[in-house]
Amino acid sequence: MEQDTLFINRELSWLEFNRRVLALSKDKEVPLAEQLKFAAIYGSNLDEFFMVRVGSLQDQLALDGDKADAGSRNAVAAQQLNAIMPVVAELQGLCDKYVNQLEENLREKGYNKLNFDKLTKEQERFWKKYFEAELFPLLSPQIIDHRHPFPFLRNQEIYLGVTLKNKGDSEVSFGIIPVSSQFERVLYLQQDGVTWYALVEELIAHYAPMAFGRWSVQKKCLFRVTRNADITPDEGLMDQDIDYREVMTELLKKRRKLAAVRIQFWPEAPQEIQHFLCQKLILSGKRCFVQQSPLDLSCLFRLASRLASDGHTELCYPAARPMQAPADYNLEEQVQHRDVLLCYPYQSIRPFIKMLKKAAYDPDVLSIKMTLYRVARESQIVQALVAAAENGKEVVTVVELRARFDEQNNIDWSKQLEQAGCTVIYGFDNYKVHSKLTLITRKKNGKFQYISQIGTGNYNEKTSEQYTDLSFITSNQEIGEEVAAVFNNLAVERLTPQVENLLVAPLCFKSVLMQEMDREIQAARDGHPARILLKNNSINDKDIILKLSEASCAGVPVDMIVRGICCVKAGVPGLTENLRVRSIVGRYLEHSRIYAFGVGEDVRVYIASGDFLTRNTQRRVEVGVRVRQPDLVARLLEILRLELEDNVNAREMRPNGKYVRVKPADGQARIDSQMLLYDLFREDFHVAPPAAAAPKRVGILERLRNFFRR
């Protein structure tokens, strides 16, 4: 089998995902303020891509440049970097074009970007006065010559670089002014009914000659450095006498000083400044990007917020808030009668938080155990755990200190949890604990009772309103015992080898799902109806890709909803002609993982914390669960159905790996799955029916059967 025929390079696939994000910044069906946000998200995504993925490839190149990365079509690091940079340059050109159009659209709405080369006399007086009063006292200009060494340039901060001459000197010196993050990035001025906005770095660049005194500024340009952030615990630090939290604290300090991987320049940046900085930062010209758009696109978030605060609701998405449970809704009581599935952001996370808070004070509750990967800055969930510990409950938290870019937040929370009396576990040396798992243990009438929660998303109140995620809560005692076993294994750094009801990576996650695929393959070969439906964030696991190709060749219809990285080509004759891939990128970040196998009443549906990336299947502790209650199965299938019929947010992959936007056919209604799911969950939270009554919504199964037999 030709690798190029079936597989797509992981890094190039990710860049194609970010292209889909960027495309929303020019989508006329997206409100202007939201277009600004998508451009900003594109920039933030690209920053992280360079810090993590390009940083990792750069490390490979430095340490073992001739060793191939088997997970990337056997391309060595140098080849991958050479393939990445032209695509980034192409995307940068598109970004400049789209942002320029956004600025024109803002002008039509009365928001004009200030051009400091074309100031009126009145504007010149105002901004000069502002610079002298508010910025000049805080500037820290630096001269670089044989007496003044080249300074350390902070990751992701903007600087002004200049060439300087002293009166009577023939030599040229270099100077740098840091644009401190303490400055307000976007400045506003109301004038004659128009809102003028200016970027603080451009204001500093305009008045830079005032900052260097007797030196004469010859040429100048703004620039921004991105540094490698791909750090892992160093074996030399893993001393038995050193607390792991101290190790991570030291590594965070190290991250700030890692090598540069990219430099962005202002338009028409002088060649001598570019050459000087590349030489000092040891960067090739391919890592230098000259751009028309702002060097740090996060300023567009601020502009979007300004539009909203000025009352331009028509420029924003219509308000859509999570459905709140009735005031008397008691999740703990409901889950004693039936399994419950909360679907974010369509339903609120509050019932779960309320259940945790109640458990913290319930005299029957003996313990609460939870895995914490990413939590909110002001986490009510952590506060509930603290309250439980202070009330004498046994509270065990598995805190993953290696949650990238959330390390410091997790370090801080782990300290607070310990101070409250919680047992804090950091997980494994070689496996990240990425599962979303909670276990509440009660003892009533002399018997132990479990409430288990298995989720696809983090315990984070903020992201629960921005990400689509699933939270499964059950009082099933068998599941509770298995969840308890997982926590016990985590406590002693042991992988869970076998379970009946759960999926637990790395030992019994991929293998179980591949067995499910084998069942569908065999069904198709026997002439029976078969189907595979997979919704997740990313896929690059080679074994799974080959199994999906086998399923396609056996005649199994395979539908995949993959938001981001997808390393398998769809619709390739003889390999994946029965496999369809679509990506949904819209108002909410699609984050839930749903894996469904079979048709009709035989359909088997799982939710899980793990994707089909090799890191999830082999190097992380992930947990999933099979959902068996008919109405909840129906609800999950309804989510898949709507997303497979989406013609607003969806793009489908072609056999060449490129994506094409799905549009409504002539006369066809617009199907926005993200908005229609509000209608699905608009009814009140489920209230447990009497024991003899049929489960609510079971009728959906009948409605779905024909669809899933297609």
Side-chain angles (χ1 to χ4, degrees), residues 360-375:
Y361 294 91
D362 186 340
D364 292 332
V365 170
L366 302 179
S367 72
I368 303 175
K369 299 181 180 182
M370 182 178 282
T371 59
L372 299 177
Y373 194 76
R374 300 187 195 277
V375 296

Side-chain angles (χ1 to χ4, degrees), residues 325-330 354:
D328 60 348
Y329 182 82
N330 187 325
K354 186 177 177 181

Side-chain angles (χ1 to χ4, degrees), residues 133-153:
E134 302 294 335
L135 302 182
F136 185 75
L138 300 174
L139 294 182
S140 301
Q142 299 166 275
I143 306 295
I144 304 167
D145 57 21
H146 63 279
R147 297 186 303 274
H148 303 88
F150 187 76
F152 177 78
L153 303 178

